Amino acid sequence: MTLAVSYLRFSSSKQRLGTSEERQEELLVKYLKKNPHITLHSKSFKDLGLSAYHSKQMEGDLGAFLEAVQKGEFPEGTLLIVEAIDRLGRSEASEMLNVLTGIIRAGIEIVTLEDNMTYNRESLNGGGIYILVGKVQAAHQYSERLSTRIIASWDSKRKKAKEHGIRPIFSHPFWLDKKGDLKEEYQPLLERMFKDYLSGLGQTLIAERLRGDSSGLLPKINAKTVKKTLANPLVIGLWEGAEVYPVAIPKTLFYRVQGELTKRSKKPKVEPRSLFFSGIAKCECGSNLSFPTDYQKGYTSSRCNTRSRKKEACGNNRSIAYKVFEYVHEQNSFHWEWMLRQHRQDNNDEAELQALDGEIALVKSKLKNIEKALERVVTDGLLDSLESFQKDLDSLEGKRLLLEGGSSFSVDFITDEEEPLLADEELLRASLIKCGYKIVCDSKGIVTVYTNFCGTDGIESTYKVLKGFKKNGAAAYKTRIEDTWSRACFWL
């Protein structure tokens, strides 16, 4: 029996909707039926949506296969079955020949189903090398011509958009119709998405809230769509620097979100939180507190996340009832409501500075994409775009320097009105966390509420949780809490 390994690849994610994968699998099945002595290895290798012209497949399954070949995991005489040579790569001939001959030198035979060719040591020595070189060159030249045509086509679209205001033809996002005009009913949801993100909510939670909106307009929206939308300049009418679409949200809001996206990209991701005090309640070691529930006793209490993972990492084994956090939070409501009001009073300079940071980040991203494109092919359109965006970047950075010198900072916080914020637990929690509000517990049962005011050290309110005791034979312990400032003791 001869062992065989299959490899499938296509370049674009759009081809998932086509027949590329199905066609390659059908050819493989037909080949195996005609050759019953061949046994297909249980492991198949697939690089779906990876460009071979840019050698992306080397970072995927093909790279994993080559590594396995180098380790000798497949015996000599094993067949590598592909639809055609260009499935393995479309990069320059010298690079591809090095990869292919390396596979063959390791004793692996390459079978191409499209033309029923087999490439091995014998065939290459017998003249097959010339056929292989020709196919590799043809694959690279085809991709190079296609890449040049595509870039030239987009250059033309950019020129028409900038000079004549002509909208490009492509699939528009959900808030635009086929002509590229704004769907007015989606505008409030779009603006709400951006404001929620700026208020501190994550993409997953924003998507969940939009799916549950009473309008029913976005029942299938997911976190991936939210992420793309937040970074899409089409919401302010811009396509490749040209204003050819309607403005759906305020430009300042969009650019502030770009700054927030950049800031959050440098922070570790967190899972959506289910309880209000998750993310607010902290252990003395700095770790977040989680709140497991004993469903038999109906009792929810705190636990240090660090200690849960490694007991020796934190000495705080004290468990505090969830109702204690509710109590101290309510007792400090005047302080944290005042904190939120103060944080909402952003001055115009600071808001403009944050918007400039977002705009600068967007232009830098555009420049990076153009530089990558220029590494593949140089066109007048790309060079003009590079020069234009570089001028924009220089101008924006100059404005930032002037504005930074005369601005007074306050915390970057945005919301609409006080009442909707206080009524929405998800927004309120995200806003409190963003403003630095926290409730810290230590191993002695001391609970400290930190309310951070702009330009000050804030206010600290301290409470001591006392162990309860049975009263008159009661079945459960009563929790007592002492306000360390007033020395008043309360039963919970």
Side-chain angles (χ1 to χ4, degrees), residues 194 230-231 254-262 358-359 361-362:
F194 278 77
L230 291 171
F254 173 77
Y255 287 123
R256 292 186 75 181
V257 166
Q258 303 320 295
E260 184 71 12
L261 283 168
T262 302
E359 198 168 355
L362 188 64

Side-chain angles (χ1 to χ4, degrees), residues 203-219:
Q203 295 151 10
T204 301
L205 190 51
I206 291 173
E208 183 182 318
R209 287 160 62 89
L210 291 173
R211 287 195 299 269
D213 186 78
S214 59
S215 65
L217 292 173
L218 297 172

Side-chain angles (χ1 to χ4, degrees), residues 7 9 24 27 81-89 110-115 119 135:
Y7 176 72
R9 185 195 64 78
Q24 293 179 59
L27 285 173
I81 304 176
V82 295
E83 179 189 32
I85 281 295
D86 61 8
R87 295 298 99 190
L88 293 172
I110 301 174
V111 176
T112 53
L113 302 177
E114 187 179 68
D115 52 11
Y119 299 95
K135 288 186 177 294

Side-chain angles (χ1 to χ4, degrees), residues 71-125:
K71 292 179 179 178
E73 294 181 13
F74 298 105
E76 283 199 24
T78 298
L79 306 180
L80 173 60
I81 304 176
V82 295
E83 179 189 32
I85 281 295
D86 61 8
R87 295 298 99 190
L88 293 172
R90 293 178 179 270
S91 53
E92 293 182 356
S94 59
E95 182 182 336
M96 273 312 302
L97 285 173
N98 186 48
V99 173
L100 298 175
T101 55
I103 294 173
I104 294 169
R105 283 197 302 271
I108 309 298
E109 300 183 13
I110 301 174
V111 176
T112 53
L113 302 177
E114 187 179 68
D115 52 11
N116 200 31
M117 288 287 293
T118 300
Y119 299 95
N120 52 31
R121 291 192 186 104
E122 291 75 18
S123 66
L124 294 189
N125 291 331

